[in-house]
Amino acid sequence: MGTNFQYIPCSLQDELRRIANAILVPGKGILATDESPNSMDKKFAPYCIPNTEENRRLYRQVLFTTENLQEYISGVILHNETLYQKADNGKTFGDLLRHRGIIIGIKVDKGIVPLPGSLDESTTEGLDDLYCRCGKYKRDGCDFAKWRCVLKIGKHTPSYQAIVENTNVLARYASICQSQGIVPIVEPEVLVDGEHDIIKAQKVTETVLAAQYKALNDHHVFLEGTLLKPNMITPGQNCTRKNSPEEVAYVTVQAFLRTIPAAVPGIVFLSGGQSEEEATVNLNAINNVNLKHPWELTFSYGRALQESAMAAYAGKKENIPQAQIELLKRAKANSLARAGKYIAGSIPPFKNEQNLFVADHKY
Ligand code: 13P
């Protein structure tokens, strides 16, 4: 069996390593704001905000102009629409964030589509013009990218077909990004939907991650220039037995030790429908777990960083200062959790604990 036994050029390796390490600096994590225009419906509907391009711009402006955001946030993931939208001062959001020292990430997948022949499973599309798009995004100031695949736990899922397809498409995406100097966030999300217990979630996640690193190797991806964005390992949403943050932390790190190479510099968790406090407390426990591990463990949250800010803002100009206070509070809470120093309940969310779970979540 022939294969390519060459590494990518050293200068490209250095560039990718530099970006990944800059994202992983101590005390910081990623703010994911790359919801597609359609999926903003879910965020705006409870506050009766019409889902227009202008209202999306105004909302993102609230987030990105939050003073001192860069103290806790090293990178922000944007949707294509947001990258080129302008703040009131005429700067594009990309430029505005970069001038604040925040690294720009771009969602490059084109969404989840059915995987014919599978057990009602999916894959993610967007490879066709990816090479050109990555080149343009790099020229336009983006240094990292995100591509999300989802795998469902059911009686007979995830199927072998879904695991092979999704891990392979993520590996292809990763290799294309790297060729253009963009650090890929590899996101094979095992959904929380279902009645399964934590042990089933652990076993499935281990199988998916093992396949993921085999696929990345098959595609000659330079691991030091990648980030992994996994689910934490928790019981299914409808499982009657709940687990403590310490149990979640232990099985999560144990699964990673079994499957993720030490060359990977960092793991940036998604929040996956956990409440804001839950996502913070679990990240804190993960950073305190008594297992030796080689990677940075931080956050790349969407819902669990934005929920309070959105609720405080509610589409009203007069609420902007409070919304920005709320965003900064969540960012600070997760910054502490990333160091294992968050005290549960010490930075409460804007509203009482909310369940942010959305069945079959689309991004
Ligand atoms: P959540 O934190 O809302 O799960 O989203 C993060 C993300 O970027 C999913 O792709």
Side-chain angles (χ1 to χ4, degrees):
M1 189 174 69
T3 186
N4 169 20
F5 289 113
Q6 282 176 8
Y7 293 110
I8 58 173
C10 287
S11 56
L12 194 50
Q13 291 186 22
D14 291 346
E15 164 79 345
L16 294 167
R17 198 189 279 110
R18 178 191 66 74
I19 297 165
N21 291 336
I23 293 169
L24 295 170
V25 287
K28 300 192 190 183
I30 296 174
L31 168 62
T33 63
D34 57 307
E35 301 87 354
S36 61
N38 278 347
S39 62
M40 286 302 286
D41 275 342
K42 272 183 300 220
K43 272 204 167 28
F44 284 171
Y47 309 99
C48 302
I49 306 173
N51 186 9
T52 61
E53 190 174 339
E54 174 60 3
N55 284 337
R56 293 192 292 274
R57 186 190 74 83
L58 289 170
Y59 171 61
R60 263 64 183 252
Q61 178 166 257
V62 173
L63 303 180
F64 303 156
T65 56
T66 298
E67 220 175 302
N68 297 328
L69 190 64
Q70 69 279 9
E71 275 186 32
Y72 309 116
I73 299 295
S74 54
V76 171
I77 315 177
L78 304 176
H79 187 275
N80 182 74
E81 174 186 271
T82 317
L83 177 65
Y84 300 106
Q85 276 179 331
K86 290 185 175 148
D88 291 346
N89 67 7
K91 275 191 187 170
T92 63
F93 284 140
D95 285 344
L96 182 142
L97 288 165
R98 262 181 320 120
H99 291 157
R100 303 188 63 182
I102 293 176
I103 304 169
I104 307 301
I106 182 83
K107 169 206 181 79
V108 295
D109 71 66
K110 291 191 172 173
I112 289 165
V113 290
L115 181 62
S118 71
L119 301 163
D120 198 22
E121 298 170 277
S122 61
T123 184
T124 302
E125 63 184 0
L127 282 183
D128 279 356
D129 54 352
L130 186 59
Y131 184 86
C132 294
R133 286 192 290 133
C134 281
K136 176 163 165 38
Y137 285 140
K138 183 74 182 181
R139 289 191 294 281
D140 292 344
C142 301
D143 278 324
F144 72 103
K146 169 188 134 175
W147 179 295
R148 175 176 181 255
C149 283
V150 299
L151 294 128
K152 292 183 204 170
I153 300 184
K155 199 160 174 220
H156 302 293
T157 63
S159 65
Y160 178 75
Q161 178 194 3
I163 293 173
V164 170
E165 159 57 22
N166 282 284
T167 55
N168 191 66
V169 83
L170 277 162
R172 277 265 282 138
Y173 138 82
S175 68
I176 295 168
C177 285
Q178 289 197 330
S179 75
Q180 299 303 302
I182 288 187
V183 166
I185 290 187
V186 176
E187 183 177 0
E189 177 176 357
V190 177
L191 293 176
V192 71
D193 305 46
E195 293 174 2
H196 53 272
D197 63 14
I198 197 167
I199 298 303
K200 176 82 181 259
Q202 179 179 7
K203 189 76 176 91
V204 170
T205 303
E206 286 176 10
T207 302
V208 169
L209 291 176
Q212 186 60 73
Y213 284 96
K214 168 72 172 117
L216 289 167
N217 186 270
D218 288 345
H219 286 269
H220 311 289
V221 172
F222 171 63
L223 292 184
E224 291 86 337
T226 62
L227 298 171
L228 179 73
K229 179 157 171 166
N231 47 288
M232 290 178 189
I233 296 175
T234 62
Q237 178 67 19
N238 297 322
C239 178
T240 45
R241 166 141 166 54
K242 301 295 170 206
N243 295 86
S244 68
E246 290 69 29
E247 288 170 323
V248 166
Y250 191 86
V251 298
T252 298
V253 178
Q254 185 179 56
F256 292 175
L257 286 170
R258 290 172 176 168
T259 53
I260 304 175
V264 173
I267 292 165
V268 296
F269 287 99
L270 57 92
S271 60
Q274 300 181 55
S275 71
E276 291 176 310
E277 174 74 2
E278 208 180 344
T280 306
V281 168
N282 283 339
L283 179 63
N284 193 67
I286 284 170
N287 275 293
N288 281 322
V289 84
N290 194 14
L291 289 170
K292 238 171 56 188
H293 60 78
W295 337 269
E296 296 294 326
L297 296 163
T298 187
F299 58 92
S300 175
Y301 293 162
R303 283 165 282 178
L305 271 173
Q306 292 183 55
E307 188 62 18
S308 282
M310 182 73 240
Y313 171 53
K316 299 201 172 73
K317 205 173 169 184
E318 63 272 24
N319 294 339
I320 291 175
Q322 190 60 40
Q324 296 186 327
I325 288 171
E326 296 302 329
L327 174 62
L328 209 61
K329 275 165 53 181
R330 293 309 340 141
K332 181 175 181 189
N334 288 302
S335 161
L336 289 167
R338 183 219 192 294
K341 292 191 174 140
Y342 180 71
I343 296 167
S346 60
I347 305 186
F350 183 65
K351 290 201 291 197
N352 283 341
E353 271 306 79
Q354 297 231 15
N355 185 347
L356 306 180
F357 172 72
V358 179
D360 219 359
H361 183 55
K362 305 268 183 315
Y363 216 73

